[in-house]
Amino acid sequence: LCNYALMAEEMGACLIINQCSTVSEVSDLYGKLIRIPVLKVDQAMAEKAVEMGSNIALVTTNTTTVGPSHRLLESAARAAGKEVTVTDFILAHAMEALFCGDVRKHNDELSAQIHALDGKYDVIVLAQGSMIAIMPEITDVRTPVLTRLPLGVKRAVDMVHEMFGE
């Protein structure tokens, strides 16, 4: 990934967006090797979650996402001068269902978990980009539910506007 970042810079990229939570921490390394900005697509989501409360539910379907996403939330809290409690909920069976092509089972498991967490946390964080597909199915949930793509893409657009003007 460090070599890819170096090549991207050499080829004229103006911004690198790290989309994958599992390998997001390596972007801290290659960010020191290059001169162009690096954005973790879930950084804005982590900051928003910390802003919204101190009792955070982190929902993942991929076990490799848990550690990096948990640490990102804690890092965002330290940067904001806040203490947070992050509780992990891992739905590995939902990911297995998705890989087997059973989108309905994936979404049902995810929806059931989100509904079970509703009212028990200040905010629910959905760690993977693919989870945005569940949003139309959980409109009745009172607890704020954050996904990474809307906030991450907005942050990327803001960064590009800042670099090149509007």
Side-chain angles (χ1 to χ4, degrees), residues 22-56:
T22 298
V23 298
S24 67
E25 292 168 316
V26 78
S27 67
D28 296 331
L29 297 174
Y30 64 70
K32 295 175 183 173
L33 299 174
I34 58 178
R35 293 178 304 277
I36 59 176
V38 175
L39 171 65
K40 293 177 187 177
V41 76
D42 48 0
Q43 181 71 44
M45 178 184 67
E47 292 167 4
K48 182 73 171 172
V50 166
E51 178 185 307
M52 295 178 88
S54 59
N55 191 18
I56 301 170

Side-chain angles (χ1 to χ4, degrees), residues 27-92:
S27 67
D28 296 331
L29 297 174
Y30 64 70
K32 295 175 183 173
L33 299 174
I34 58 178
R35 293 178 304 277
I36 59 176
V38 175
L39 171 65
K40 293 177 187 177
V41 76
D42 48 0
Q43 181 71 44
M45 178 184 67
E47 292 167 4
K48 182 73 171 172
V50 166
E51 178 185 307
M52 295 178 88
S54 59
N55 191 18
I56 301 170
L58 174 65
V59 180
T60 68
T61 59
N62 185 349
T63 57
T64 61
T65 302
V66 178
S69 294
H70 191 110
R71 289 187 292 273
L72 181 63
L73 287 162
E74 290 174 336
S75 173
R78 278 191 305 278
K82 287 182 72 174
E83 287 194 27
V84 297
T85 300
V86 180
T87 306
D88 304 322
F89 296 89
I90 307 164
L91 306 176

Side-chain angles (χ1 to χ4, degrees), residues 2 4 14 30 33 42-43 47 50 58 73 78 82 109 119-120 125 133-135 137 141 147 155 157 165:
C2 290
Y4 288 145
C14 65
Y30 64 70
L33 299 174
D42 48 0
Q43 181 71 44
E47 292 167 4
V50 166
L58 174 65
L73 287 162
R78 278 191 305 278
K82 287 182 72 174
E109 287 190 32
K120 297 177 180 146
V125 172
I134 197 69
M135 296 306 283
E137 298 183 31
V141 173
T147 62
R155 172 81 48 94
V157 169

